[in-house]
Amino acid sequence: MISLEETKPLVAESEVFLFTGDELLHRFHCTPEALRELTVGHLYCNGLIRSAAELSQYETDSTHPDTITIRISINREDSTPMPPVQDLKVPELTDLQALMQHFFDCAEKYKAHGGIHCSALFDGKSFVAQYEDVGRHNAFDKVTGKALLTGLNPANLIYFTSGRVNSEIAEKAGRCEFPLIVSRSIATTRACEIARKQGVGIIGRISSDRPLLFNKGRAYA
């Protein structure tokens, strides 16, 4: 008979309340890191800002680490123009596989205990953002926010993910105009339908011997 001993949890998770003024915009649970990036990415992906410059005020209260309050102000007049969309040279398949391996080699939390989602953005030369989070949407928002805060146009970046590409992720990728999603997993039927309409390419099972091209998108147009 197998005996079990109680162990400490390894994956940090906090409840976050995002306010603008007295209005609660969103309540979510996340790994309590890179909260500014998470906030900017979340606002952008939901159409509430057009650039990181519109976030005119950002304050956090983490007196109690398990419950974090973020208060923001948005000034649409402070928006800055997005850098122009550039022609993207998609790396060869073997290079994409090597990039995915490097992506996971740098995923410290995933290597330590698993049970976490990983996302990264690649600009054609190097990874410009990489985060791990208990929520796949949070990981997506964090890398998007990082790109925006550093003045990058998401439309010029390739999105790498550890997880399955579902319809919600495909919709967010379409809003960000990512030319290509590269995943270790698969894409759902609805995700492929949405991505096809948005011009987003999807490659799944990238780490396998036979990767799957679900959508060509503009990346392989």
Side-chain angles (χ1 to χ4, degrees):
M1 183 174 179
I2 299 175
S3 61
L4 294 175
E5 293 184 4
E6 196 170 82
T7 185
K8 293 178 64 177
L10 298 174
V11 182
E13 180 179 2
S14 295
E15 185 174 29
V16 176
F17 296 88
L18 177 61
F19 286 89
T20 176
D22 294 327
E23 178 186 357
L24 177 63
L25 281 181
H26 196 62
R27 169 179 170 268
F28 47 89
H29 295 80
C30 70
T31 301
E33 300 171 349
L35 296 178
R36 182 185 288 270
E37 288 83 354
L38 173 60
T39 300
V40 171
H42 176 79
L43 295 172
Y44 182 80
C45 289
N46 284 278
L48 298 175
I49 60 173
R50 294 163 296 181
S51 72
E54 293 182 21
L55 187 64
S56 60
Q57 179 183 359
Y58 172 86
E59 298 176 354
T60 61
D61 181 355
S62 54
T63 305
H64 304 286
D66 290 338
T67 304
I68 300 171
T69 298
I70 300 175
R71 295 188 181 277
I72 64 167
S73 294
I74 297 172
N75 188 345
R76 303 277 287 188
E77 294 181 358
D78 289 339
S79 186
T80 56
M82 198 71 73
V85 178
Q86 301 174 345
D87 290 334
L88 177 72
K89 179 174 174 55
V90 178
E92 297 292 334
L93 186 59
T94 53
D95 292 329
L96 288 174
Q97 290 175 319
L99 287 166
M100 180 62 81
Q101 183 59 53
H102 177 70
F103 165 46
F104 271 91
D105 287 343
C106 296
E108 297 298 333
K109 293 181 178 63
Y110 186 90
K111 289 190 297 182
H113 47 65
I116 201 160
H117 295 278
C118 311
S119 290
L121 292 175
F122 182 75
D123 69 355
K125 297 179 181 178
S126 62
F127 285 110
V128 295
Q130 179 166 346
Y131 290 105
E132 301 169 83
D133 199 284
V134 291
R136 73 178 66 195
H137 285 277
N138 299 332
F140 186 108
D141 291 348
K142 284 180 178 181
V143 294
T144 303
K146 175 68 172 180
L148 294 168
L149 285 165
T150 51
L152 300 174
N153 187 339
N156 295 323
L157 305 173
I158 296 173
Y159 176 64
F160 282 76
T161 177
S162 60
R164 181 182 68 254
V165 182
N166 64 7
S167 58
E168 294 173 325
I169 293 298
E171 286 176 351
K172 293 178 82 165
R175 291 189 202 116
C176 292
E177 299 183 13
F178 290 141
L180 179 64
I181 299 172
V182 182
S183 171
R184 284 186 72 178
S185 188
I186 62 165
T188 67
T189 54
R190 183 160 172 75
C192 290
E193 178 184 348
I194 292 169
R196 192 171 295 115
K197 292 178 180 178
Q198 302 273 20
V200 179
I202 304 177
I203 298 177
R205 297 270 171 85
I206 187 63
S207 299
S208 70
D209 293 335
R210 299 184 66 182
L212 305 171
L213 178 62
F214 289 103
N215 279 342
K216 290 184 177 181
R218 70 178 176 91
Y220 290 98

